[in-house]
Amino acid sequence: MKQVDVIVLGAGIIGICTALQLQRKGLQVALVDKNAPGEQTSFGNAGLIERASLFPYAFPRQIGKILHNATNRSVEAHYHIGELIRIAPQLARYWWNSAPERHEKIMQAARPLIENSVNMHLELAQAANAQNILHADGWIKVARNEHTMAGLLDDVALLKGFGLQIDVLDRAALKTREPDLTDAAVGGIHFLDPQAVRDPIDLSRAYVAYFKQLGGVFIHGDAQTLTEISNPNHSEAASSSNAWQVQTQEGALVAPQAVLCLGAWTVEITRRLGYRLPMFVKRGYHKHYALAGEAKMNHTIYDADGGYVLAKMNQGIRLTTGVEFAKITAPATPVQLKRAEPLARELIPLGEPLQDRAWMGYRPCFPDILPVIGPAPRHQGLWLHFGHHHHGLTHSAASGMLITQMMTGQETFADATPFSAERF
């Protein structure tokens, strides 16, 4: 039986940053996952540390957009009708929380995670000797018509006062930054603060290597075997009479504290422990493409009219989709990629796809658009850290620091109350 101070279950970017921040505080940490670090949902994002997305992704409230998505033919949203019916209560609360006055409060609660996202990642990357993985390119939201461009200017006005660097680009300025965009784009806005990651798994691996250099261990194991046991080191000096045990390839692993960072799969364990957390899952897809001829793309681009992202990656141009509401176990239905590809070809000269099958990942979400970060209400030594919607990579360094400060009794850099599981 191996004993450590903390077991972190789940080696996505949230679990990696949690384990790393705890290890840096002098605790002995074991990071546990069935798969290699960073190879599940954290593998497939758009590669942005999104300092500019202060306002969380809201449920559409415009009747036209809701009706368009309801047709199940859009790029932004696709659904399996059975799953849509099953999660209807969560979606209704998501819609309710997306009203402007409630959305504003949610933004303010999550604001410290966003505002500290870049600086905390840069600090970790420098310590991990991985500065070259982050690129200060920002990203560009493009418009195909003047009506959409007017909406983008409204976005700029909304973000005024938050200290962001934003360039407004007319057609000529956009062409200067992205010469190979077609005339389908009439302009855009360039968010300069975010950092781009050309291959998210590179960052995960760099952080894990640093974690190991500090004495942390990664072990293959099954989080579903997590059980509460009597603390084998229990004494009057011990902080708790209970401990947490999980089975790994190296045998039983025991610690007085455990953190659940399993993303969309966390609720399988919390449900077994008696918690009914209203999480739902948004699935997403991507596929990589070459660019035709000598064409180049310098920045990650979001097509505001098309509802998809083109991300510059080491593997090629990553075409990513919006959201799909479907069970985790349901077969992949990458219809949104088929809809997005011809739209992307109108915007930039895409070549052939570089892979046959689309990649699929899972975004864990709560109806109030905030993650759960903090202690499990009814279990001593158990901590919850999941549900970051579309912002797992963005939040991870700051969110990992926040829960580390909570676990070690330090003053937190942000108010953690809005992230408590007790809000449900």
Side-chain angles (χ1 to χ4, degrees):
M1 178 185 294
K2 181 178 179 64
Q3 298 183 30
V4 294
D5 295 322
V6 185
I7 299 170
V8 175
L9 295 167
I13 192 63
I14 293 294
I16 291 168
C17 286
T18 301
L20 177 53
Q21 299 282 30
L22 286 164
Q23 190 71 31
R24 295 179 91 201
K25 292 296 183 182
L27 297 173
Q28 180 57 53
V29 183
L31 180 62
V32 177
D33 202 307
K34 289 194 295 187
N35 302 294
E39 290 193 350
Q40 294 297 306
T41 298
S42 297
F43 175 84
N45 53 64
L48 290 172
I49 299 171
E50 234 310 65
R51 169 67 180 84
S53 286
L54 279 158
F55 286 87
Y57 293 97
F59 194 100
R61 296 186 68 83
Q62 306 94 329
I63 294 299
K65 180 167 280 193
I66 292 174
L67 291 175
H68 176 62
N69 288 340
T71 66
N72 216 15
R73 292 196 292 268
S74 77
V75 174
E76 287 184 298
H78 180 252
Y79 59 85
H80 294 189
I81 187 62
E83 180 67 0
L84 200 67
I85 293 170
R86 188 184 73 83
I87 64 173
Q90 291 98 310
L91 293 182
R93 289 168 67 183
Y94 184 16
W95 175 85
W96 188 82
N97 282 310
S98 297
E101 66 277 8
R102 288 181 283 275
H103 197 228
E104 171 78 19
K105 291 180 180 179
I106 290 166
M107 181 276 289
Q108 293 294 351
R111 182 176 172 181
L113 299 180
I114 295 290
E115 290 189 331
N116 287 282
S117 59
V118 167
N119 64 293
M120 288 194 178
H121 266 295
L122 286 173
E123 193 275 330
L124 281 184
Q126 183 173 12
N129 196 28
Q131 308 95 307
N132 62 321
I133 296 177
L134 303 181
H135 302 269
D137 298 335
W139 63 281
I140 299 175
K141 182 185 283 190
V142 302
R144 291 172 179 254
N145 56 68
E146 295 302 332
H147 175 74
T148 301
M149 190 66 202
L152 300 191
L153 295 178
D154 290 340
D155 292 344
V156 174
L158 185 65
L159 292 170
K160 187 178 181 180
F162 287 103
L164 296 173
Q165 302 177 78
I166 305 172
D167 285 349
V168 176
L169 309 175
D170 60 15
R171 189 191 294 270
L174 180 59
K175 272 286 192 180
T176 298
R177 298 193 189 189
E178 290 292 348
D180 290 316
L181 282 185
T182 71
D183 290 337
V186 302
I189 53 177
H190 188 175
F191 296 101
L192 300 169
D193 297 274
Q195 296 278 314
V197 181
R198 299 284 184 253
D199 190 350
I201 201 168
D202 284 349
L203 190 64
S204 294
R205 288 169 176 164
Y207 284 172
V208 170
Y210 177 40
F211 168 68
K212 291 178 178 178
Q213 288 171 13
L214 295 176
V217 293
F218 171 76
I219 307 175
H220 287 288
D222 186 356
Q224 298 300 325
T225 65
L226 181 71
T227 54
E228 189 176 18
I229 64 170
S230 296
N231 191 336
N233 291 328
H234 179 54
S235 66
E236 291 186 6
S239 60
S240 175
S241 61
N242 76 315
W244 295 93
Q245 177 176 284
V246 66
Q247 297 300 321
T248 76
Q249 287 185 352
E250 299 179 18
L253 180 65
V254 176
Q257 297 192 90
V259 193
L260 299 181
C261 302
L262 294 151
W265 294 271
T266 311
V267 290
E268 296 179 20
I269 297 177
T270 56
R271 189 179 297 117
R272 173 163 57 82
L273 294 172
Y275 299 97
R276 295 293 180 266
L277 301 176
M279 196 193 81
F280 61 97
V281 173
K282 298 177 183 177
R283 303 202 310 188
Y285 300 85
H286 81 232
K287 186 181 282 190
H288 294 105
Y289 292 79
L291 286 171
E294 300 298 318
K296 295 180 180 179
M297 196 175 84
N298 300 319
H299 306 84
T300 293
I301 293 171
Y302 173 64
D303 183 348
D305 294 284
Y308 62 87
V309 171
L310 290 165
K312 180 181 178 182
M313 292 286 174
N314 293 339
Q315 302 96 323
I317 301 302
R318 179 176 290 183
L319 174 61
T320 75
T321 68
V323 302
E324 179 181 65
F325 299 102
K327 287 183 179 181
I328 292 179
T329 55
T333 50
V335 296
Q336 290 158 288
L337 278 175
K338 294 180 181 178
R339 297 167 185 162
E341 183 180 323
L343 294 174
R345 292 186 183 282
E346 293 174 3
L347 198 65
I348 198 163
L350 280 185
E352 294 300 312
L354 299 175
Q355 58 195 109
D356 295 329
R357 296 179 61 185
W359 176 92
M360 180 176 70
Y362 312 89
R363 304 180 184 104
C365 307
F366 285 105
D368 61 1
I369 330 177
L370 293 172
V372 166
I373 308 171
R378 298 190 300 275
H379 290 83
Q380 191 173 24
L382 184 65
W383 297 80
L384 308 177
H385 193 196
F386 68 108
H388 292 75
H389 275 242
H390 300 250
H391 278 150
L393 175 60
T394 295
H395 284 173
S396 54
S399 188
M401 175 59 78
L402 180 60
I403 197 167
T404 293
Q405 291 172 336
M406 296 171 72
M407 293 176 67
T408 55
Q410 296 180 303
E411 182 180 356
T412 59
F413 73 88
D415 180 11
T417 306
F419 309 122
S420 171
E422 295 191 69
R423 71 188 192 263
F424 299 121

